[in-house]
Amino acid sequence: MKKIVKGLLVTMLATTLLAGCGSNTNNAGSTDGAASGGGEAKSVKLKMFIAQPRFKEHYDKYIADFVAKEKAEKNIDVSVQLEMPTADNAAQILKTRLASNDAPDIFALHAINEIPSYYKAGYLEDLSDQPFVGKLLDSVKPSVTTTDGKVVAVPLETLSWGYLYNKKIFTDLGITPPKTLTEMKAVVEKLKANKVTPFVLSYKEAWIPQLVLPLAAGALINTEDADFIERMNKDEGSFTELKAMFDIFDLINANGTEKATEVGGDDGAAAFAAGKGAMWLQGPWYAETILKSNPDLDFGVAPLPINDNPDATLINLSASTSLAVSKSTKNKEVALDFINYILDDTASNAFFQALKFNPISTVHTYESYPWVNDATAYVKEGKSYQDPAIPQSVKDEVGKGLQAYYAGQLSQDDVLKALDKAWKSYNKVNK
């Protein structure tokens, strides 16, 4: 707990953006404290919680534009307190805030892993009647829709991912993305024979090593163990069924860059951008950071082989970071205004493009990125699956467990037992 609190204090970033005074008027409506006439502007303080600190510059600009828009169109002086913890700390911080009736007005959560439990707990505002819903692509909308048909978030990131690879290194050495674990081992040996480190390792943040879990689980669920999630939700399964994930994890660890537990995501992106490893267990959500380090880097996305069944080498399709409105917000109108501004007809296109996120709306007209096209080619061949619905608390546990496993502090069985325990604990509070 001390580490969590320390992390909160160290990583919590806040910025307050204050709009200037003005006298425009129109439909401030029922906004708490907002003026509805042409008189004195009222003030609204909006709290946001988004665990993407590497994009702070982009969010600051977009929020500033929103603040100006609210002032111009509604004569509301909006101040925004933007809290941007790291991904490792975010889930626990948010749970604590929600449980203590200190919910941010707007907060980010994982569409697949967190929406079901947060909705069940009554934390999410129903957004089904908001204008942004009509702008969502049909392929994206289900990811932010509850089982009873309510849209409860606006998605930011949709993903098609496996691992990243340096295309120039692969091309120079005549390598193509392997389709099986045996082929991956051959790729590793060829890279080493040419004095190229096969993998960048960056395990300082627990969410990075945990990436192997959804990749392994998705592959095995779609080839060998179709009802794994269903049985785990009934306390009838065990992670021992997914022990094969250690085959690829061990191969990566044995052939990666050094001091992995001292390297976080940003440093990993810089190392990959600099060609210090040919591959990185990571998703294209780091594209903006990678290209900031090396704009000329040509990298691709490929499915990670888990075993020697090529049918299990698949791209993971997912929606992750999404923005929800707190059910208890006292600034509902302005919060909804911002949620809709995420898919603003004129501003959203440039925002998503700057973040290098995939298009998720009809208002996004920019061309797909090369790494998206790479993944799409696999998807068109049927080599993909929807991200398995693994509880966030289990993902948090696997991240910590695999960090400890890498450091030699836990055995494979220790990690698997901890995951079984975490899922059973989740089941107890989510019956």
Side-chain angles (χ1 to χ4, degrees):
M1 179 60 74
K2 289 181 178 180
K3 291 183 178 180
I4 293 173
V5 173
K6 183 179 179 181
L8 167 63
L9 295 175
V10 171
T11 58
M12 189 177 294
L13 301 175
T15 183
T16 300
L17 303 173
L18 299 175
C21 295
S23 60
N24 291 341
T25 181
N26 53 27
N27 56 342
S30 60
T31 298
D32 298 343
S36 59
E40 182 180 357
K42 301 296 183 179
S43 298
V44 172
K45 184 177 181 179
L46 206 60
K47 295 182 179 179
M48 297 187 190
F49 184 96
I50 305 172
Q52 293 183 317
R54 68 185 186 280
F55 296 136
K56 182 178 183 299
E57 179 181 349
H58 297 295
Y59 279 108
D60 281 349
K61 182 180 183 306
Y62 203 68
I63 290 170
D65 292 342
F66 168 73
V67 168
K69 181 181 174 69
E70 287 292 280
K71 179 64 178 178
E73 297 184 356
K74 293 192 171 182
N75 195 25
I76 302 174
D77 283 337
V78 181
S79 63
V80 176
Q81 180 178 311
L82 177 59
E83 187 178 340
M84 305 193 86
T86 63
D88 267 2
N89 298 319
Q92 187 58 50
I93 294 172
L94 183 57
K95 287 177 183 176
T96 301
R97 297 275 296 277
L98 293 172
S100 59
N101 296 319
D102 185 28
D105 299 292
I106 293 171
F107 54 86
L109 75 174
H110 193 288
I112 305 299
N113 302 326
E114 294 180 319
I115 279 181
S117 58
Y118 282 40
Y119 177 66
K120 186 175 182 179
Y123 293 138
L124 307 182
E125 180 72 21
D126 181 5
L127 306 176
S128 302
D129 62 351
Q130 293 303 304
F132 82 83
V133 175
K135 302 176 184 178
L136 291 174
L137 298 180
D138 290 341
S139 59
V140 172
K141 187 176 176 181
S143 65
V144 290
T145 303
T146 63
T147 54
D148 58 355
K150 295 178 180 177
V151 175
V152 292
V154 57
L156 289 171
E157 290 184 280
T158 59
L159 311 169
S160 43
W161 65 288
Y163 67 92
L164 307 181
Y165 69 98
N166 186 313
K167 283 188 173 180
K168 184 176 187 307
I169 292 175
F170 270 46
T171 299
D172 289 347
L173 298 179
I175 298 172
T176 56
K179 298 178 181 178
T180 65
L181 185 60
T182 295
E183 289 183 8
M184 177 61 90
K185 292 176 180 176
V187 166
V188 166
E189 293 306 315
K190 188 165 187 175
L191 289 167
K192 290 164 62 177
N194 285 275
K195 302 186 183 307
V196 177
T197 301
F199 293 97
V200 169
L201 302 185
S202 57
Y203 296 158
K204 184 177 180 180
E205 299 160 22
W207 69 269
I208 298 178
Q210 71 81 29
L211 293 173
V212 76
L213 176 62
L215 292 176
L220 296 172
I221 288 169
N222 282 275
T223 53
E224 303 174 4
D225 208 351
D227 62 348
F228 175 74
I229 299 293
E230 181 181 352
R231 287 187 292 105
M232 290 300 290
N233 284 331
K234 296 178 180 177
D235 288 340
E236 296 175 355
S238 170
F239 272 97
T240 56
E241 301 169 45
L242 302 186
K243 193 171 184 177
M245 71 178 179
F246 285 103
D247 293 339
I248 183 65
F249 194 59
D250 287 348
L251 179 67
I252 292 171
N253 294 341
N255 297 282
T257 50
E258 297 180 346
K259 300 181 178 179
T261 55
E262 299 177 15
V263 180
D266 287 353
D267 289 337
F272 181 68
K276 294 184 178 179
M279 295 174 279
W280 188 23
L281 179 61
Q282 190 58 264
W285 49 81
Y286 254 104
E288 192 265 358
T289 308
I290 292 169
L291 294 177
K292 188 180 292 184
S293 293
N294 181 2
D296 297 325
L297 182 70
D298 187 11
F299 69 91
V301 170
L304 186 70
I306 301 300
N307 51 32
D308 277 340
N309 179 1
D311 293 336
T313 304
L314 304 168
I315 288 290
N316 180 305
L317 299 177
S318 175
S320 58
T321 306
S322 305
L323 293 184
V325 173
S326 169
K327 189 80 171 179
S328 62
T329 179
K330 296 180 180 178
N331 301 302
K332 184 175 178 180
E333 181 182 347
V334 177
L336 293 178
D337 284 349
F338 184 77
I339 288 294
N340 282 301
Y341 189 67
I342 290 295
L343 296 185
D344 182 81
D345 289 345
T346 57
S348 181
N349 199 59
F351 179 55
F352 272 70
Q353 192 169 17
L355 295 172
K356 294 187 169 46
F357 288 169
N358 294 345
I360 59 102
S361 166
T362 53
V363 304
H364 297 152
T365 58
Y366 53 90
E367 292 185 7
S368 296
Y369 299 105
W371 52 87
V372 176
N373 296 335
D374 289 343
T376 300
Y378 289 101
V379 175
K380 288 181 178 178
E381 294 177 16
K383 298 182 177 300
S384 64
Y385 61 88
Q386 292 295 323
D387 192 40
I390 300 172
Q392 187 60 47
S393 57
V394 177
K395 286 192 170 185
D396 293 343
E397 188 64 36
V398 77
K400 293 184 293 185
L402 291 180
Q403 279 180 320
Y405 174 74
Y406 172 81
Q409 298 167 345
L410 291 180
S411 68
Q412 293 182 8
D413 288 341
D414 291 335
V415 174
L416 297 175
K417 288 178 181 176
L419 297 184
D420 283 345
K421 182 180 180 181
W423 203 309
K424 288 181 179 178
S425 297
Y426 169 83
N427 287 342
K428 286 181 180 178
V429 298
N430 287 279
K431 287 183 178 178

